[in-house]
Amino acid sequence: MAELSRLPGPAMHHWEWQYEGACRKAEPSIFFHPEGERGSARRRRDEAAKAVCAQCPVVAMCREHALSVREPYGVWGGLSEDERVAILDGSLRRAG
């Protein structure tokens, strides 16, 4: 579950960018892996999701959101779960 204390407030301007997301026209299951998915199947699904993100006009806002609230699941802003963890771990090490 996302770190709820990091989520922006309920004001519409915090969330409006999501209406422009390319993912709104894609099958949601490509962004979130099913339980037990591993290896090449997971890589292919992640690549399909990232291809949608690559065409998205709000990819930067989505990535910023995912990193700031530490989204634990799925592809957000063109980054997989593992990629977000690596970015956050690196930034935490630099800050510490």
Side-chain angles (χ1 to χ4, degrees):
M1 180 170 213
E3 181 72 37
L4 296 179
S5 65
R6 297 177 190 273
L7 290 173
M12 183 68 168
H13 69 275
H14 289 296
W15 303 100
E16 269 184 324
W17 60 268
Q18 291 183 358
Y19 287 117
E20 302 299 319
C23 58
R24 290 178 57 88
K25 296 177 182 153
E27 177 60 41
S29 63
I30 71 168
F31 297 94
F32 300 94
H33 67 83
E35 187 173 338
E37 182 185 56
R38 305 246 188 287
S40 62
R42 188 165 180 172
R43 278 191 300 280
R44 283 191 305 273
R45 188 197 38 73
D46 280 349
E47 288 170 7
K50 289 177 181 183
V52 173
C53 295
Q55 303 300 314
C56 185
V58 295
V59 68
M61 288 178 268
C62 183
R63 182 179 301 130
E64 181 181 326
H65 162 78
L67 291 169
S68 68
V69 303
R70 299 176 189 221
E71 283 290 350
Y73 304 111
V75 172
W76 288 78
L79 298 173
S80 69
E81 298 163 6
D82 294 337
E83 291 166 332
R84 289 193 306 277
V85 167
I87 289 169
L88 290 169
D89 283 352
S91 65
L92 291 174
R93 268 191 234 112
R94 283 191 300 277

